[in-house]
Amino acid sequence: MFIVVLGSVLALMHLLVWKRMVKDTTRAGKTRRLLSLLLGALMILLIGTLIVPRVLDVREPGWLAWPGYLWFGLLAYLFLALLILEPVRLALRRWTRSAPRPPAEPTPAAPAVDRRMFLARTGAVAVGVAAAGVTTVGAATALGPPDLLRVPVRLPRLDPAFDGFRIAVVSDIHLGPLLGRRHTERIVRMINEAEPDLVAVVGDLVDGTVQELGAAAEPLQDLVARDGAFFVTGNHEYFVDDTAEWIRELERFGLDVLRNENTRIRRGGAAFDLAGVNDVAGETRSDPPDFDRALAGVSPDGPTILLAHQPIQVDEAATRGVDLQLSGHTHGGQMWPFHYLVSMAQPSLAGLSQVRDTQLYVSRGAGFWGPPVRVGAPPDISVLSLQSGA
């Protein structure tokens, strides 16, 4: 059903692009046939990129993924631009029909036809330039270095011994056919240069198996933090065949994987509890989030910081008195205006917010999924500086 729906949506998007940018701008003949064949080939490329690897359970090769996903991003903005232009097109079409025509020499219909063709071509060029410009800037943003955000967070129950304690939060690295080892190396270098006390990797690290991406993830073993580096699963960790194999690999790299469990972080006689829950997608693999286990034994006298991939898990965290939840998953919307759809599913897109007595911090993520494009949502690595007191 998912494949049928996805295929239908993609077909409709291509149909609108063909109608407005090919059929309306050309006369029947060789040029229209060539442009129609090109658009059809791009549609087949995109469907092959999105569906074939999943149906056949094979790895997406980079030579297929790069052009396929770039076209996906461009197609999305061509489609949106055409929708925005549609009211203008209809108004101009009405004006064209009602505008007085010059004396017939030799046929009265020809000037109107030429005018409509001119307007269609002008609109197609404007749409193409706008969509290409947005996609190009978005690709440069997505593939460039993440923003390093420094965010003060005040926790009333935090002991003053932890004032200035730095937690580097990174999520949604999305190693896969488009992002590899150099992407990981850059992230690790940026985190280490920030000199955090603790690193929290909050899910969606990989889009593939250990055999495919183990070498790409290996630089994580170079993370340096006094109190360690911690990981919780995201939904993409459950899209691979063997989640447990990735858990073992990350532990081999020196990450402490919190699977519905917690640990205590100490500074002399002071402490706070760091807990982690599995992603909600773990329910499909008999590995669901378990807040009872994750928060078992935490101190009622000090703060609890929870790592949970999806912001939506904050409702349960707030019910259980968690002081701060660190999440990712949203990509900050990744591509405007799809932010609005993500906002309907999650309590926060990015940044620091409050859900009852629990603070929620959501990273926009350091990678991307699908099109290598970010518009209005640059990638980030966040360094939270904890402060005590109200």
Side-chain angles (χ1 to χ4, degrees), residues 312-336:
I312 199 170
Q313 294 173 281
V314 73
D315 285 334
E316 187 75 19
T319 299
R320 295 169 180 270
V322 168
D323 297 82
L324 172 65
Q325 176 176 311
L326 307 179
S327 298
H329 185 64
T330 67
H331 297 199
Q334 185 165 323
M335 294 170 58
W336 182 92

Side-chain angles (χ1 to χ4, degrees), residues 3-224:
I3 292 174
V4 170
V5 172
L6 178 61
S8 299
V9 170
L10 293 177
L12 289 173
M13 293 173 70
H14 282 87
L15 180 61
L16 179 63
V17 172
W18 175 80
K19 178 66 171 64
R20 295 290 177 245
M21 303 190 72
V22 177
K23 185 175 184 295
D24 290 354
T25 62
T26 61
R27 293 182 173 87
K30 183 178 179 180
T31 299
R32 181 182 291 181
R33 287 195 299 271
L34 289 175
L35 291 175
S36 298
L37 286 172
L38 174 61
L39 191 60
L42 289 171
M43 183 174 70
I44 293 171
L45 170 68
L46 179 53
I47 291 174
T49 301
L50 293 175
I51 295 176
V52 171
R54 290 156 182 81
V55 172
L56 300 181
D57 195 24
V58 296
R59 183 185 183 187
E60 289 176 292
W63 60 263
L64 176 65
W66 273 108
Y69 281 119
L70 278 171
W71 169 240
F72 193 8
L74 179 58
L75 173 67
Y77 284 109
L78 286 172
F79 181 75
L80 288 171
L82 287 169
L83 290 180
I84 293 171
L85 190 65
E86 196 68 10
V88 178
R89 188 193 69 81
L90 292 173
L92 288 174
R93 184 177 180 182
R94 180 175 299 179
W95 170 78
T96 300
R97 286 177 173 176
S98 62
R101 293 171 177 168
E105 291 181 2
T107 61
V113 170
D114 291 342
R115 189 184 297 124
R116 287 198 297 269
M117 183 74 73
F118 172 77
L119 292 174
R121 289 176 177 175
T122 301
V125 169
V127 164
V129 170
V134 171
T135 303
T136 300
V137 173
T141 301
L143 297 171
D147 293 341
L148 185 66
L149 306 181
R150 298 185 183 274
V151 183
V153 178
R154 192 167 297 279
L155 298 178
R157 298 199 296 163
L158 186 71
D159 191 284
F162 285 101
D163 278 341
F165 188 92
R166 296 182 300 277
I167 301 177
V169 182
V170 62
S171 72
D172 302 278
I173 294 173
H174 284 293
L175 298 175
L178 303 185
L179 294 172
R181 186 181 179 99
R182 283 189 296 177
H183 178 56
T184 314
E185 289 173 342
R186 179 168 62 186
I187 289 169
V188 169
R189 182 176 65 254
M190 291 181 66
I191 290 175
N192 287 345
E193 287 174 354
E195 299 182 340
D197 297 289
L198 185 149
V199 178
V201 184
V202 287
D204 278 10
L205 171 64
V206 293
D207 288 307
T209 66
V210 171
Q211 289 71 31
E212 295 165 350
L213 298 172
E218 189 176 25
L220 292 173
Q221 67 186 356
D222 298 324
L223 285 168
V224 177

Side-chain angles (χ1 to χ4, degrees), residues 357-375:
D357 293 330
T358 298
Q359 294 187 75
L360 169 65
Y361 186 80
V362 181
S363 167
R364 294 191 299 258
F368 53 80
W369 184 83
V373 176
R374 278 181 171 267
V375 178

